[in-house]
């Protein structure tokens, strides 16, 4: 199944977003929002095709500072800035709210009034923020391996910190080797990814415009996000929360807190899943998304 190919949405804010669509535009739209440093290719084509086969129109895109979307290189962030962000002593170059506005800008470009929104990790934070900001534009919400923004839930395993703070290297091959080491640390132990697939994806990520500064700016947005718990509790939107039981990057408590906040949400915990989207779980995750869409259509 061929997608639309890469296209660009030129937003009024000056941000250009690279995106691709799959399926029939007259079908219910699903917006896929990726996480920290992840280009749209991390939503695998096979995953998108499964959604299309279930009668959905799929949109995936590169967040700002990712892939072929706009890079805000004029905003440099230091480790001192990151430390200040942890205690609320600095302002980020942009916020999770700005990233949510980008997503709405893309929907405007595509002339989509409202979409079913699916976000993973940081993308889940963006998806939640979209629902809070403009609930009339979010038909349903699926938050995967994400959290509410409350500091006491969804925390990282301290053993990951040295790897998260290490430099990615100066060459294409150095980036790929570091990426593979990092990926292995958060990969699902019960659902191993083919090493060649992981290596090819790492090269593709680098070649499409990987930016160390961009990742740091996105981290700043994550560190300075508000606690959305009370706002999520006021929503009336069909929602599903998916989380792995072995997630070292966003502890499963983040998923539990999100599901508890979203009234009437379905909470799916997947045994042995960590902080990735293994192909072995595509069927289960797609089925959960489709159930959520159907709940919205029958509401």
């Amino acid at each position: 199944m061929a997608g639309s190919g890469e296209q660009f949405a030129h937003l009024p804010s000056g941000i250009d977003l690279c995106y691709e669509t799959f399926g029939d535009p007259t079908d219910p739209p699903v917006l896929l929002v990726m996480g920290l440093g992840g280009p749209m290719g991390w939503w695998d084509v096979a995953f998108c095709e499964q959604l299309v086969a279930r009668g959905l129109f799929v949109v995936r895109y590169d967040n700002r500072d990712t892939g072929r979307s706009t890079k805000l290189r004029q905003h440099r962030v230091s480790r001192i800035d990151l430390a200040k962000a942890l205690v609320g002593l600095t302002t980020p170059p942009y916020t999770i709210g700005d990233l949510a506005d980008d997503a709405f800008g893309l929907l405007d470009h595509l002339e989509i009034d409202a979409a079913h929104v699916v976000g993973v990790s940081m993308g889940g934070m963006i998806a939640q923020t979209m629902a809070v900001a403009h609930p009339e534009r979010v038909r349903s919400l699926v938050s995967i391996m994400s959290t509410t923004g409350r500091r006491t839930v969804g925390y990282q395993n301290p053993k990951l910190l040295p790897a998260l703070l290490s430099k990615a290297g100066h060459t294409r091959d150095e980036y790929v080797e570091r990426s593979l080491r990092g990926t292995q640390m958060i990969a699902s132990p019960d659902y191993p990814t083919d090493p060649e697939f992981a290596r090819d994806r790492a090269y593709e990520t680098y070649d499409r415009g990987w930016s160390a500064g961009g990742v740091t700016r996105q981290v700043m947005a994550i560190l300075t996000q508000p606690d959305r718990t009370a706002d999520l509790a006021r929503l009336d939107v069909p929602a599903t929360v998916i989380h792995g039981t072995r997630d070292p990057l966003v502890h499963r408590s983040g998923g539990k807190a999100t599901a508890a906040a979203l009234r009437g949400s379905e909470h799916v915990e997947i045994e042995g899943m960590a902080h990735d989207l293994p192909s072995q779980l595509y069927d289960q995750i797609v089925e959960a998304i489709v159930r959520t869409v159907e709940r919205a259509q029958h509401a």
Side-chain angles (χ1 to χ4, degrees), residues 1-60:
M1 180 182 299
S4 65
E6 293 186 0
Q7 302 184 59
F8 287 88
H10 307 292
L11 307 187
S13 62
I15 297 293
D16 291 340
L17 295 184
C18 185
Y19 71 94
E20 185 174 17
T21 66
F22 298 84
D24 185 343
T26 64
D27 286 335
V30 173
L31 181 70
L32 302 179
V33 191
M34 187 38 70
L36 176 66
M40 61 181 173
W42 288 11
W43 293 108
D44 194 44
V45 170
F47 182 85
C48 296
E49 289 177 342
Q50 285 191 232
L51 290 170
V52 171
R54 301 297 296 273
L56 299 171
F57 175 61
V58 177
V59 182
R60 65 177 188 175

Side-chain angles (χ1 to χ4, degrees), residues 8-17 64 70 98 100-111 137:
F8 287 88
H10 307 292
L11 307 187
S13 62
I15 297 293
D16 291 340
L17 295 184
R64 64 168 73 182
T70 295
D98 293 322
D101 287 342
D102 289 348
F104 284 127
L106 175 57
L107 294 181
D108 290 341
H109 173 80
L110 293 168
E111 299 182 343
R137 302 199 66 182

Side-chain angles (χ1 to χ4, degrees), residues 27-31 104 107-108 111-117 130 134-140:
D27 286 335
V30 173
L31 181 70
F104 284 127
L107 294 181
D108 290 341
E111 299 182 343
I112 296 174
D113 293 332
H116 302 279
V117 183
M130 292 175 69
H134 294 288
E136 75 282 359
R137 302 199 66 182
V138 177
R139 296 185 186 181
S140 71

Side-chain angles (χ1 to χ4, degrees), residues 77-92 151 220 223-224:
V77 174
S78 68
R79 292 194 178 190
I80 293 176
D81 293 324
L82 292 174
K84 288 181 177 179
L86 279 170
V87 292
L89 294 179
T90 189
T91 301
R151 293 289 181 89
M220 284 285 284
L223 292 176
T224 56

Side-chain angles (χ1 to χ4, degrees), residues 96-98 100-101 104 125-138 228 231-232 235:
I96 294 293
D98 293 322
D101 287 342
F104 284 127
M125 302 168 193
I126 295 169
Q128 292 173 30
T129 302
M130 292 175 69
V132 167
H134 294 288
E136 75 282 359
R137 302 199 66 182
V138 177
R228 291 177 295 277
D231 289 329
L232 292 173
L235 290 177

